[in-house]
Amino acid sequence: MDLFSSLYPFSFCSLASGSNGNCYYIGNGDEGILVDAGISLRSIKKRLSEVGIPMKQIKAILISHAHIDHIKGLSALANTFALPVYASFQTCEGIFRNWSASGIRRDLLHTIEDGEKVQLAGLLVETFAVSHDAAGALGYHIRNNHNSITIATDLGFICDKVSHYLSKASMLVIESNYDDEMLTNGRYPKHLQQRIRGEKGHLSNIQAADYLTQHYHSGMKQIFLCHLSQQNNTPELALKTLNQYFLDKQISKSPETVIRALPRGARTELIHVI
Ligand SMILES: [Zn+2]
Ligand SMILES: [Zn+2]
């Protein structure tokens, strides 16, 4: 399929999002790819089939980084369906070191580094580095000729390059990991709180809200808050923080812009952007 003559609809489904597992489907007509495989193969197959996507439609897997919540189901998924896997060299090393993913067939792994592009399932994939406590962590900007999605998950702050890719996407999947107060008053020890808040940690509700209200434009058709912490956040708090920022800064959203917090242990429906 020719990338720039395609009229196929662009679609997205979050199969899981959060500290217990992450997996996203991005579709381009009757083909698609997965970003991360942090839940079991059984759950991936079940949730895809529930939204009408057969496994043969999946053409490749992109991996953001080698933390367990992003690679738990990777080796079973890739090996069973002989799917090519794209990740940075350092992420590939992390995959080999991880007990749950190290059984992956070496010939399925392809390295892709910060700034590189690859075409998969008729989609153009661009990569950008993110600041996180996993070596070689990448975000992805994925597009066909009509629409685009940027996935920026697990990052301590939004640098100019990440901002560039977020602000040009029609669908944004942006981390909104923790509520400051919940983290401060919760059960996490101080050193872990510091790691989460650090430049190689995670984005808070306030950081996501601040970024989104500073850079919002009506071309942002779908904004998905992702990777919410089970201990230190709720979907209601993440959305409330963002909506309060829009109100306080007196920024009016286009009626076409949809904002949602992605569920942790469940999938969304298949979402189309025409
Ligand atoms: Zn994660
Ligand atoms: Zn991580």
Side-chain angles (χ1 to χ4, degrees), residues 203-248:
L203 287 186
S204 70
N205 292 346
I206 286 178
Q207 284 174 295
D210 191 45
Y211 174 81
L212 287 167
T213 46
Q214 274 188 50
H215 294 84
Y216 175 75
H217 58 80
S218 60
M220 294 178 175
K221 295 174 189 166
Q222 313 257 5
I223 298 172
F224 300 115
L225 304 178
C226 77
H227 207 281
L228 272 63
S229 163
Q230 186 163 19
Q231 301 291 332
N232 304 310
N233 209 356
T234 67
E236 294 75 23
L237 263 178
L239 290 171
K240 189 177 153 204
T241 305
L242 180 54
N243 286 326
Q244 194 61 49
Y245 262 70
F246 271 105
L247 276 176
D248 290 349

Side-chain angles (χ1 to χ4, degrees), residues 22 65 69-70 154 227:
N22 297 274
H65 63 293
D69 55 318
H70 300 262
D154 297 62
H227 207 281

